[in-house]
Amino acid sequence: MFDYPYDNEFLLRKQKSIRRKLLERKNVEYIEKRIAVLGGSTVNDICNLLEIFLLDSGIKPIFYQSEYNKYYEDAVFGNAELDNFQPEIILIFTSFVNLMNLPQLNDSEKVLTEKMSAEYNRYLQIWEKLHEKFSAVIIQNNFELPYKNLLGSLDAVQNYGTSKFVEILNLKFAEYARTHDNFYLHDLHTLSAKIGLEKWYNRFQFYAYKFAM
């Protein structure tokens, strides 16, 4: 059941019983890992699925979850509960819906440059603060492309195109990952492409439950 492609609905439906059976195994000595998930969307199901996949691999996770969309506040301003938790792994689970400085059609080159710097520096601040406080591995999602291409093919060409903005930001994230230890990029961009953006985005789910994907 843990081989790709797996049945997501089955795993979520049977998560508790699968977890119980995995923990009942007699020949496994589990390694405990404290994992903080700082989410830009609802991440309960992410943690539930992560738990059974990790248990299958002999790792028993203990999770800290940020409040909804409080990933920046937890990282930059501090949180006593997170500080006491002392995570060994930090997953920053953000996606396109969390981008705050997206380009507009009438933006000048100066404004576009400022927006890119503001968006990248916001995450840079998160990573630096977390590295400063914790001796933890950081895993950061990059970003999937937007569902709507209002400019058509020009969206990937013009500097004010949202798709081009996302691609450039992803390259900056990749360069940071390449040049920094204990920092890993989770390639949400490629994963969403494999699944297909029409399946990836469910606007009802997002507006009803804040599930980004």
Side-chain angles (χ1 to χ4, degrees), residues 20-77:
R20 185 175 61 252
K21 289 177 181 177
L22 288 169
L23 288 171
E24 287 172 351
R25 293 185 295 181
K26 304 297 184 184
N27 60 337
V28 178
E29 292 187 16
Y30 286 103
I31 301 169
E32 287 193 350
K33 286 290 176 184
R34 297 185 305 279
I35 303 173
V37 182
L38 310 185
S41 56
T42 302
V43 294
N44 290 354
D45 284 350
I46 297 295
C47 290
N48 288 338
L49 287 177
L50 272 175
E51 182 179 32
I52 57 176
F53 275 87
L54 289 168
L55 286 172
D56 182 58
S57 299
I59 298 169
K60 186 177 182 182
I62 303 165
F63 286 111
Y64 165 89
Q65 289 186 51
S66 68
E67 293 184 29
Y68 165 71
N69 207 24
K70 295 295 184 182
Y71 62 97
Y72 180 85
E73 290 81 356
D74 271 8
V76 175
F77 300 124

Side-chain angles (χ1 to χ4, degrees), residues 107-154:
D107 284 345
S108 66
E109 291 296 327
K110 181 176 181 292
V111 169
L112 291 170
T113 300
E114 289 172 350
K115 284 186 173 182
M116 177 60 68
S117 295
E119 196 65 58
Y120 178 69
N121 288 334
R122 192 162 65 94
Y123 284 91
L124 188 61
Q125 192 177 12
I126 291 171
W127 307 331
E128 289 179 345
K129 284 288 185 179
L130 291 174
H131 276 310
E132 183 182 305
K133 288 193 290 186
F134 306 112
S135 298
V137 168
I138 296 175
I139 303 170
Q140 168 72 58
N141 288 354
N142 62 9
F143 300 100
E144 75 277 26
L145 291 175
Y147 175 61
K148 289 187 177 179
N149 255 356
L150 297 179
L151 302 177
S153 293
L154 286 177

